[in-house]
Amino acid sequence: MLKTIAALKESRDVAALNDLIPYARAVGLEAMLDEGGLLVALRFRESNIGNTQLRAIHGGVVGALIEHAAILHLLVETETAVVPKVINLSIDYLRPCLAADTFARGAVLKQGKRVANVRVLAWQDSLDRPVAAGHAHFLLT
């Protein structure tokens, strides 16, 4: 598995890297590269609705988007050779994540030899109106 991840990192095939995670396919997570770097999309699915009256995406699915974006960001944008392990993850739910596609982008705040800190922002219509923000610490060894 690590050889596969290393080859996909080298080729920058983020879609194939994303497809290695069965949960990503199950909830509709996709990864792509654009002019801003790695972008992770949560495609809308009825099965992800948590609040049927508001038609809002379940908070656990939004949390999974943020965690997934942070891990992929570390794999794609850094030299880490292993799949990062979550030490802790804190998510701020800022506004309802309504029935539409949701996007997330991460940034490494600090990376040491063993631990990395990543910040992720998730939005729907506008980056200026985030639906959630996350901060995660990962073990890299």
Side-chain angles (χ1 to χ4, degrees), residues 14 20 23 31-32 34 44 51-52 59 66 70 104 118 122 127:
V14 296
L20 291 175
Y23 184 77
M32 61 209 80
D34 66 8
F44 173 70
N51 182 328
T52 55
I66 288 176
V118 181
L127 186 56

Side-chain angles (χ1 to χ4, degrees), residues 33-112:
L33 292 171
D34 66 8
E35 63 280 349
L38 177 68
L39 180 68
V40 178
L42 171 64
R43 300 300 180 194
F44 173 70
R45 292 186 178 174
E46 283 292 329
S47 59
N48 290 340
I49 294 287
N51 182 328
T52 55
Q53 291 187 346
L54 269 182
R55 296 209 25 88
I57 307 281
H58 190 284
V61 178
V62 175
L65 165 66
I66 288 176
E67 180 181 348
H68 188 70
I71 290 170
L72 283 182
H73 187 80
L74 280 172
L75 284 173
V76 170
E77 302 295 335
T78 69
E79 296 298 318
T80 186
V82 298
V83 176
K85 296 179 182 97
V86 177
I87 296 171
N88 68 357
L89 174 65
S90 174
I91 299 172
D92 297 323
Y93 296 96
L94 304 172
R95 55 182 48 89
C97 185
L98 301 175
D101 289 352
T102 308
F103 304 94
R105 195 178 302 273
V108 176
L109 299 179
K110 184 174 183 198
Q111 179 185 0

Side-chain angles (χ1 to χ4, degrees), residues 4-20 31-33 38 72 76:
T4 301
I5 291 170
L8 293 173
K9 278 181 60 160
E10 188 174 320
S11 69
R12 298 197 48 91
D13 188 351
V14 296
L17 195 58
N18 183 74
D19 288 343
L20 291 175
M32 61 209 80
L33 292 171
L38 177 68
L72 283 182
V76 170

